[in-house]
Amino acid sequence: LSENTASTTVFNATVWKDELYTTLILLLERYYLSTYEGTFADNFYGLKRERFVNNQQQPMRPQDKASTLFLVALLPYFTDKLVKFHAKITQENASFLQQHDEIENRNSALRLDTFLTLAFAKGFPYARALLDSYLLGFQLLFMFNKTRYYSPLLWMQGIIISRLTADDYRNFSTAEELSHKTSTFLSRMSSKFLRFLRTMLIASALGFKLLEWYYSPENISQRESNNGANAGHNAVPTPLPPRPSPRGVDVPPNPMLCPLCHEVRKKPGSGI
């Protein structure tokens, strides 16, 4: 809707869609971290985050929640901006190389800026591959119970992910009842909306997959062929049965006779 009405509206939401999405994620993750001791994804799978100090699990501190909020909401935003900037620089890389002689005649500041841009364009894929390999190594160690940290970011924070227990659910329910009594109507409605996002996420995922299947090229062609067959249009006619060759062997009227020698068959199983 924003893309179709971009020329007629004063505020174009498509220009700030990444920032609006990041703001929504910040509000959502902040609510779940302060209420359920975990991110939205952690709570969706029945998990929580705890500090791991001296082989003991402790609740997260406010600074731990702030760093987690930065890592789950702001860090993906900056990473996405870097990826888009790299894609832009990569497209302009060829023009930079073609203008190399012209750049040599300019001042040193411009040459340094161009050099750093080209270095980023060439080095960013290697740095990202190295980081992905590092993350994969942590995940493999976590899978084989060699470490309690799923990622190096959690290791730097000193935070582990554990299962929610029955006591945790009871504590969450008690805290919700207390906050419901002391909070305002607007805060109660916002809390209900944020909790309802779990159901909305499942319903939207199923609806998206249903629409994706319904509008897929295979399903569209299948519907068109079925409609054509039902309406009698664009349907392939049934082919006629093959005609016997005039030089072929006639089938004898008596099934006990061999079609080749026209004598009584001695081996019915072989037809001769």
Side-chain angles (χ1 to χ4, degrees):
L1 181 61
S2 298
E3 293 177 354
N4 295 332
T5 60
S7 59
T8 59
T9 56
V10 177
F11 177 74
N12 187 7
T14 57
V15 178
W16 305 98
K17 59 181 180 180
D18 294 337
E19 287 73 16
L20 292 175
Y21 175 77
T22 303
T23 303
L24 178 61
I25 293 299
L26 274 171
L27 296 176
L28 178 67
E29 298 295 357
R30 181 181 179 275
Y31 170 77
Y32 272 85
L33 282 170
S34 60
T35 306
Y36 300 106
E37 298 295 327
T39 63
F40 174 78
D42 296 336
N43 185 262
F44 184 82
Y45 291 104
L47 304 173
K48 65 178 179 179
R49 300 194 177 208
E50 294 178 318
R51 296 178 61 218
F52 190 68
V53 181
N54 297 327
N55 294 328
Q56 294 181 355
Q57 299 177 201
Q58 301 177 2
M60 287 193 300
R61 301 169 298 180
Q63 54 265 36
D64 297 326
K65 296 180 180 180
S67 61
T68 301
L69 187 62
F70 173 80
L71 294 176
V72 300
L74 295 179
L75 185 61
Y77 169 77
F78 293 126
T79 303
D80 181 68
K81 290 297 182 181
L82 279 177
V83 172
K84 292 180 179 179
F85 179 71
H86 175 262
K88 178 182 178 182
I89 293 301
T90 303
Q91 294 176 358
E92 299 175 353
N93 192 16
S95 61
F96 282 149
L97 294 177
Q98 293 176 0
Q99 299 174 1
H100 182 269
D101 296 335
E102 182 182 353
I103 292 172
E104 289 293 335
N105 298 326
R106 299 181 182 179
N107 54 47
S108 59
L110 182 58
R111 290 199 302 268
L112 178 61
D113 178 69
T114 305
F115 172 76
L116 293 177
T117 302
L118 293 176
F120 172 76
K122 296 180 180 180
F124 181 76
Y126 297 100
R128 191 177 182 185
L130 182 62
L131 179 60
D132 291 341
S133 302
Y134 190 50
L135 294 175
L136 179 61
F138 253 88
Q139 292 174 3
L140 290 175
L141 292 175
F142 179 81
M143 185 172 60
F144 290 104
N145 293 326
K146 299 299 182 180
T147 180
R148 299 199 64 173
Y149 303 100
Y150 179 74
S151 70
L153 300 176
L154 293 176
W155 172 69
M156 294 171 59
Q157 290 181 278
I159 292 177
I160 62 174
I161 298 178
S162 57
R163 292 283 182 184
L164 287 172
T165 61
D167 293 335
D168 294 327
Y169 285 107
R170 283 192 290 266
N171 294 334
F172 294 156
S173 178
T174 303
E176 288 178 4
E177 292 178 358
L178 293 177
S179 63
H180 182 76
K181 296 178 181 179
T182 58
S183 60
T184 61
F185 174 77
L186 183 60
S187 61
R188 289 197 300 268
M189 293 301 297
S190 61
S191 300
K192 290 182 180 179
F193 172 74
L194 292 174
R195 287 196 301 269
F196 187 65
L197 280 179
R198 172 186 292 186
T199 307
M200 291 176 59
L201 177 63
I202 299 176
S204 60
L206 292 176
F208 175 76
K209 286 299 181 181
L210 180 61
L211 291 176
E212 185 180 20
W213 166 80
Y214 185 79
Y215 288 104
S216 62
E218 296 81 3
N219 190 37
I220 291 176
S221 60
Q222 182 67 27
R223 293 202 309 269
E224 290 178 352
S225 61
N226 292 337
N227 293 335
N230 295 332
H233 302 291
N234 300 327
V236 179
T238 304
L240 298 175
R243 297 181 179 180
S245 175
R247 295 179 298 176
V249 179
D250 295 333
V251 179
N254 189 354
M256 298 301 296
L257 299 179
C258 176
L260 298 178
C261 62
H262 296 280
E263 295 182 359
V264 178
R265 290 184 296 173
K266 298 180 180 178
K267 296 182 179 179
S270 62
I272 57 175

